[in-house]
């Protein structure tokens, strides 16, 4: 890392707080084939605010691009074109997020999904430990894990509650999961399953949500990797330990510098 002749802090642009474009179908189609080549095991889930990440990435790009000649000359491992193109990849990510949002359930179902996810995680973590200890059947726990998506989350809750109920005597005193939590898991699983399977069938919608989420996560993985490998590395080399002042982490809440006030009229 070079610390010599560290550039001065790059001022934040006056429009740093302006809203980003809503997304681009053209950029989505352009970047998705590359994102689909990422091995499934390497795909990262987007569990944060994509708009915030794009805004912070823009600050980093704006900080390092003025030094592009120096980067090309002294840091050949960095791709200046990739840094310049990150905003277009961000537009693809934004469009992908819009496709996920199209499947957003009503507020009450969202709350049930969140609670079901928490309970499912709690029971699964305990079930895994009990299966390793031979208290619960490992094959039964593995079978429940096979599903994915909102409907399958509901089914997982029902199945996990049934598993704990069936083996209640065996697990008693060996798990932090309470009987009340098992009952709540069964109840919310049943309610969620009913909410996600209205007349006409919901399976097609659920599959559409899975595909949209997978595309979004793949584009997010590509975006975050490019930021890490190109923008952040360039910033760390240029600015040393002050890198976060110039290239903020993607999920940090960085307030742009306020615009100078106009002088009061005399």
């Amino acid at each position: 890392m070079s610390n010599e002749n560290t550039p001065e802090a790059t001022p934040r642009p006056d429009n740093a707080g302006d809203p980003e474009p809503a997304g681009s179908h053209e950029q989505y189609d352009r970047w998705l084939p590359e994102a689909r080549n990422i091995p499934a095991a390497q795909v990262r889930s987007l569990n944060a605010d994509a708009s915030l990440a794009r805004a912070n990435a823009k600050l980093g790009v704006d900080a390092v691009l003025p030094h592009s000649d120096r980067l090309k000359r002294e840091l050949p491992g960095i791709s200046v074109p990739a840094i310049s193109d990150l905003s277009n990849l961000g537009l693809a990510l934004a469009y992908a997020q819009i496709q996920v949002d199209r499947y957003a359930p009503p507020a009450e179902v969202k709350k049930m999904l969140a609670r079901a996810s928490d309970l499912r995680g709690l029971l699964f973590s305990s079930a895994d430990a009990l299966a390793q200890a031979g208290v619960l059947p490992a094959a039964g726990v593995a079978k429940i894990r096979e599903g994915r998506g909102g409907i399958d989350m509901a089914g997982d809750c029902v199945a996990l509650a049934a598993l704990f109920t069936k083996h209640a005597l065996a697990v008693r005193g060996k798990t932090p999961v309470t009987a009340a939590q098992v009952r709540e898991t069964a109840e919310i699983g049943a309610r969620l399953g009913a909410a996600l399977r209205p007349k006409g069938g919901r399976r097609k919608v659920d599959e559409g949500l899975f595909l949209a989420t997978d595309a979004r996560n793949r584009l997010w993985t590509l975006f975050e990797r490019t930021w890490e490998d190109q923008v952040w590395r360039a910033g760390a080399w240029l600015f040393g330990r002050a890198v976060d002042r110039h290239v903020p982490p993607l999920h940090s809440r960085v307030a742009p510098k306020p615009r100078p006030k106009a002088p009061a009229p005399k």
Side-chain angles (χ1 to χ4, degrees):
M1 182 183 298
S2 171
N3 289 320
E4 295 181 5
N5 301 319
T6 301
E8 294 296 321
T10 303
R12 308 235 187 251
D14 286 343
N15 64 344
D18 292 348
E20 289 288 313
S24 165
H25 193 175
E26 178 183 1
Q27 294 299 329
Y28 177 86
D29 287 343
R30 173 192 169 196
W31 291 100
L32 189 57
E34 181 177 350
R36 282 181 172 153
N37 287 330
I38 299 173
Q42 298 177 19
V43 174
R44 309 172 185 178
S45 296
L46 174 60
N47 298 313
D49 186 341
S51 296
L52 175 64
R54 292 170 59 216
N56 282 334
K58 182 179 185 303
L59 293 175
V61 169
D62 289 345
V64 302
L65 275 185
H67 312 285
S68 57
D69 288 343
R70 184 180 170 196
L71 291 171
K72 291 175 184 177
R73 185 174 63 250
E74 302 179 29
L75 202 61
I78 291 295
S79 170
V80 171
I83 295 174
S84 300
D85 220 10
L86 188 61
S87 61
N88 288 325
L89 178 52
L91 290 175
L93 174 62
Y95 184 85
Q97 182 62 57
I98 291 171
Q99 307 319 301
V100 174
D101 290 343
R102 290 173 54 210
Y103 295 97
E108 185 60 31
V109 177
K110 280 188 175 181
K111 290 180 182 178
M112 285 196 289
L113 280 167
R115 183 56 180 160
S117 179
D118 289 342
L119 290 167
R120 177 180 178 273
L122 173 66
L123 267 66
F124 257 137
S125 62
S126 187
D128 286 338
L130 291 168
Q132 289 179 0
V135 178
L136 289 179
V141 176
K143 180 66 176 176
I144 298 172
R145 280 196 181 277
E146 290 179 0
R148 58 192 177 190
I151 292 177
D152 289 303
M153 183 188 295
D156 288 352
C157 287
V158 173
L160 283 166
L163 183 68
F164 274 78
T165 301
K166 180 179 180 180
H167 299 276
L169 290 177
V171 304
R172 183 175 295 169
K174 300 173 184 175
T175 173
V177 176
T178 66
Q181 288 170 328
V182 172
R183 287 194 298 271
E184 184 186 3
T185 303
E187 179 184 351
I188 201 165
R191 290 175 56 206
L192 190 57
L196 293 178
R197 281 198 181 99
K199 290 182 180 180
R202 182 76 183 196
R203 173 58 64 180
K204 185 174 181 181
V205 174
D206 195 59
E207 290 175 354
L209 174 58
F210 172 75
L211 293 173
T213 302
D214 181 68
R216 190 274 313 275
N217 287 346
R218 287 178 174 278
L219 286 164
W220 165 248
T221 302
L222 190 59
F223 183 87
E224 190 175 38
R225 278 183 177 179
T226 304
W227 179 85
E228 291 170 350
D229 296 342
Q230 303 296 335
V231 183
W232 189 89
R233 281 185 60 219
W237 187 81
L238 288 165
F239 310 117
R241 293 183 180 179
V243 59
D244 285 357
R245 292 171 49 202
H246 307 264
V247 184
L250 290 179
H251 302 306
S252 66
R253 297 279 175 183
V254 179
K257 290 184 178 180
R259 301 186 186 192
K261 292 182 180 179
K266 295 181 179 179

